[in-house]
Amino acid sequence: MRPTHNPLALLFTGAIGLASLLTLIEASAPGLSHWALALALYWLVLAIAMAWFVRMPGPGERRRAWEPWMFVPVALVLGTVLLVKLDAPLHARFALSEPSLERYARSVRDDYVSRRWWGLYWVEDVEKIPGGARFMVTPLTWNWRSYGFAYSPDRIPEGGGYEHFKGPWYIWNEGP
């Protein structure tokens, strides 16, 4: 397979790659942030562009054949969908951040500094809870809820909004 030199094909493939990257970043934190709507619109524009590239022929036109470069965007889309469906971005980013988050969760105090990077997550707020701590990493979502991680090695955190994630970690949400 030889690479294409069609500038529109290269631009379109790059745009799909960017959309895939942004989607994987968005899916690597609990909850959907307000940026997800803009990302959905971006995907819609790309889907319309792809339909234009492979459109059915009009009157008097030959049928457009699939060119080899068209399989790269399709592979990127399918790979992105598979990774998001498996929650791979969330698990990978958390695995890389877990040592840092756990170190701070074990030593958190009521007056702890928030709004900083811990691991690969920007932590908006930290709160000491009985037996552990919780970190808000997605401050506002579509449904006006906040999402984050809770560390509670001894028991399930008190109150609602906690879902077991991994080991002593829980995903929590709060809001209306």
Side-chain angles (χ1 to χ4, degrees):
M1 177 168 71
R2 71 179 177 80
T4 184
H5 296 291
N6 179 346
L8 284 178
L10 295 173
L11 181 66
F12 181 72
T13 303
I16 291 284
L18 178 63
S20 294
L21 177 66
L22 293 174
T23 301
L24 294 175
I25 291 170
E26 178 66 30
S28 70
L32 290 175
S33 73
H34 57 280
W35 290 108
L37 178 59
L39 189 56
L41 292 174
Y42 183 59
W43 274 111
L44 180 63
V45 168
L46 291 175
I48 292 168
M50 185 65 177
W52 179 78
F53 271 122
V54 295
R55 72 186 185 280
M56 294 301 289
E61 290 182 350
R62 292 187 349 220
R63 181 164 183 216
R64 182 179 280 206
W66 272 77
E67 297 178 33
W69 71 266
M70 292 179 175
F71 290 101
V72 174
V74 171
L76 284 169
V77 169
L78 293 176
T80 301
V81 168
L82 179 66
L83 289 172
V84 169
K85 182 70 177 157
L86 295 174
D87 273 341
L90 176 63
H91 286 278
R93 187 174 177 188
F94 182 81
L96 292 170
S97 302
E98 185 177 10
S100 177
L101 288 170
E102 187 170 340
R103 185 173 52 249
Y104 291 114
R106 290 179 182 274
S107 64
V108 72
R109 300 181 311 269
D110 289 330
D111 62 342
Y112 221 77
V113 177
S114 300
R115 301 187 55 84
R116 60 175 283 197
W117 287 97
W118 282 344
L120 298 176
Y121 289 102
W122 177 258
V123 177
E124 287 287 329
D125 191 27
V126 179
E127 183 179 347
K128 186 172 179 64
I129 59 173
R134 64 184 189 178
F135 304 86
M136 181 176 35
V137 296
T138 309
L140 185 62
T141 61
W142 287 16
N143 57 359
W144 299 98
R145 300 181 77 78
S146 298
Y147 287 85
F149 299 104
Y151 177 78
S152 184
D154 300 329
R155 62 178 183 233
I156 297 173
E158 297 172 6
Y162 292 95
E163 176 186 333
H164 186 258
F165 181 58
K166 172 183 162 186
W169 291 95
Y170 296 82
I171 291 178
W172 70 271
N173 67 75
E174 71 176 13

